[in-house]
Amino acid sequence: MIESDRYILVVVRGGEDTRDAADSVITALRTAGAVPVLDAVDAEEICAARPDMRGPAILGRDVEVQQIELAIVLGGDGSILRAAELVRGGTAPVLGVNLGHVGFLAESERDDMDEAVRRVISRDYDVEERLALQVRIKDRSDAVVYETWALNEATVEKAARERMLEVAIEVDGRPLSAFGCDGVVVSTPTGSTAYNFSAGGPVIWPTVQAIAVVPLSAHALFATPLVVGPDHAVAIELIEGTDGSGVLWCDGRRSHELPPGARVVVRRAAEPVRLARLHKSAFTDRLVRKFRLPVEGWRGPGTKPSTAAVRTAPPEGEGHP
């Protein structure tokens, strides 16, 4: 095992431009006396493209996740979700440098990468804790057959295009409603601007501790989005006696098949996800910038938002893969 005071995980999205950025970050970390750490998959791709690169430390082989101080992500929101998965079980925050098309979770853009690395080395950042979900699948005997977690959302979806799901929604062990649908999204505030938003769910400020439940194409009168407190447990049960089978997706990364009779129970996870923040920008400004919201004509107090930024930023939602 490599001995050092500082281990920084570097998570890289594939692509020549990203590998160039990774070279720069790895060099800066080594110059500062820190040990750059890569996932085995990233290390293989980068070393294959850069045969002259000195072999990096490998996560899980040379360095344990509990030793990671921080994860620097070079990519988009999908890469940030992957990094959150890699450091799960440790305490490292995740800092995103947006090199992708979507960057709601990212803290810096490509042009600010050198400054972001400098502040990481100086430990000049704040850590923001985001609510995560614990997700369990139970069988007919109520035994847990699969368990995972999610930062953005847990989604129950129909497995076959031609058949809808028949589901029953339960909150804290009490039935709420039953209906046919294409699926149900259970979202965190972080994921509220991703799949939840596309499905018609509410945007939830990150400081709000809540869980959103949004049916997808439901055939029911009472099938509107719901927002429950973080200490409530939401269950989605695939009603037995129907032919519909489903699949559970968490953050679009982890999946598991759901036969009729299966129950998916979602509640707040014991451990949050930690994001490193370099700027104390308002969430309202982030929404305006990413969604290109029209704010011309606003005459409120303080500094007015930049209309140039509103016009040029691409429309993006937080946490899309």
Side-chain angles (χ1 to χ4, degrees), residues 19 27 39 68 93 149 156 158 163 188 194 198 239 271 274 287 289 307:
R19 286 192 287 267
T27 299
D39 173 61
I68 299 297
W149 68 282
V156 173
K158 62 181 183 180
R163 294 185 183 276
T188 66
S198 299
I239 297 175
E271 286 295 320
R274 298 170 177 87
L287 286 176
R289 186 171 65 254
T307 55

Side-chain angles (χ1 to χ4, degrees), residues 256-311:
H256 198 279
E257 293 184 1
L258 299 170
R263 297 178 72 246
V264 177
V265 182
V266 184
R267 65 178 74 233
R268 172 164 54 180
E271 286 295 320
V273 171
R274 298 170 177 87
L275 300 180
R277 291 304 194 195
L278 304 178
H279 313 290
K280 296 184 181 295
S281 60
F283 183 66
T284 307
D285 294 341
R286 189 176 289 247
L287 286 176
V288 169
R289 186 171 65 254
K290 298 297 183 176
F291 285 130
R292 298 171 63 184
L293 301 178
V295 294
E296 291 84 354
W298 176 71
R299 297 189 300 113
T303 304
K304 295 183 179 180
S306 170
T307 55
V310 171
R311 292 193 184 100

Side-chain angles (χ1 to χ4, degrees), residues 93-154:
V94 175
L95 175 68
V97 177
N98 182 33
L99 303 183
H101 297 293
V102 180
F104 210 107
L105 281 168
E107 186 64 10
S108 295
E109 300 297 324
R110 180 190 297 268
D111 294 343
D112 301 321
M113 184 180 71
D114 292 342
E115 174 66 10
V117 173
R118 184 194 68 77
R119 292 184 62 177
V120 166
I121 293 170
S122 301
R123 294 190 174 99
D124 181 17
Y125 55 84
D126 295 319
V127 176
E128 179 180 301
E129 293 190 343
R130 294 290 186 94
L131 181 149
L133 301 175
Q134 175 201 76
V135 186
R136 289 175 172 170
I137 299 176
K138 296 186 176 183
D139 61 16
R140 292 179 176 87
S141 66
D142 209 36
V144 177
V145 297
Y146 178 75
E147 183 170 357
T148 186
W149 68 282
L151 170 59
N152 270 3
E153 73 277 314

Side-chain angles (χ1 to χ4, degrees), residues 212-250:
V213 183
V214 182
L216 301 174
S217 302
H219 293 252
L221 180 62
F222 186 77
T224 58
L226 304 173
V227 178
V228 302
D231 296 321
H232 295 289
V234 176
I236 303 151
E237 182 174 330
L238 275 61
I239 297 175
E240 292 190 81
T242 65
D243 295 329
S245 59
V247 59
L248 168 71
W249 281 97
C250 289

